[in-house]
Amino acid sequence: MPRLKIVASRPEPEFPVLSRLLWQALALGALVSLALLALPLAPGGASAFGFLPFWLLAAPAAALLTLHRRFLATAWRAHLVRATPRRRQRFGGSQLRRSSRARRAASSQAA
């Protein structure tokens, strides 16, 4: 019998405008960073950029992770549950049989 998969749709973010703005800022920051890497730098020119990569890439990415933390936590938890072996289903019956055999043998030797 085929098992039905329940596919959870991605929930809407609490602040959709902020989410869209952060995604756009991250995309724009990635494009600007690539453009800056493509430019040949004069000696000592790398220090002129300073914290620019942080504000273009790391800050929007950290804000997005914070904004979507509940969805990410739920997805990670679901992944961990799927990755965990199910020991009760695999080994539960055989352990029960072994213990009952051991009890029978012990009770028959004691009598």
Side-chain angles (χ1 to χ4, degrees):
M1 175 183 237
R3 297 177 82 180
L4 296 176
K5 274 189 173 179
I6 298 174
V7 178
S9 63
R10 185 173 181 161
E12 291 296 321
E14 294 180 27
F15 303 101
V17 175
L18 180 61
S19 178
R20 188 181 68 232
L21 180 71
L22 287 171
W23 279 111
Q24 290 172 350
L26 186 64
L28 183 65
L31 289 175
V32 170
S33 295
L34 286 175
L36 291 176
L37 287 175
L39 295 175
L41 297 176
S47 64
F49 295 123
F51 287 107
L52 193 61
F54 171 78
W55 290 113
L56 291 177
L57 296 173
L64 276 170
L65 288 173
T66 303
L67 186 65
H68 295 289
R69 68 184 178 272
R70 288 189 184 101
F71 172 75
L72 294 172
T74 304
W76 181 245
R77 198 173 301 126
H79 172 72
L80 288 177
V81 167
R82 271 187 263 123
T84 305
R86 297 184 178 160
R87 295 184 181 185
R88 288 184 193 149
Q89 290 178 357
R90 246 192 288 166
F91 300 115
S94 62
Q95 286 178 351
L96 182 63
R97 275 185 251 126
R98 269 191 236 134
S99 64
S100 62
R101 285 182 196 160
R103 284 184 198 151
R104 274 187 262 140
S107 63
S108 66
Q109 289 175 359

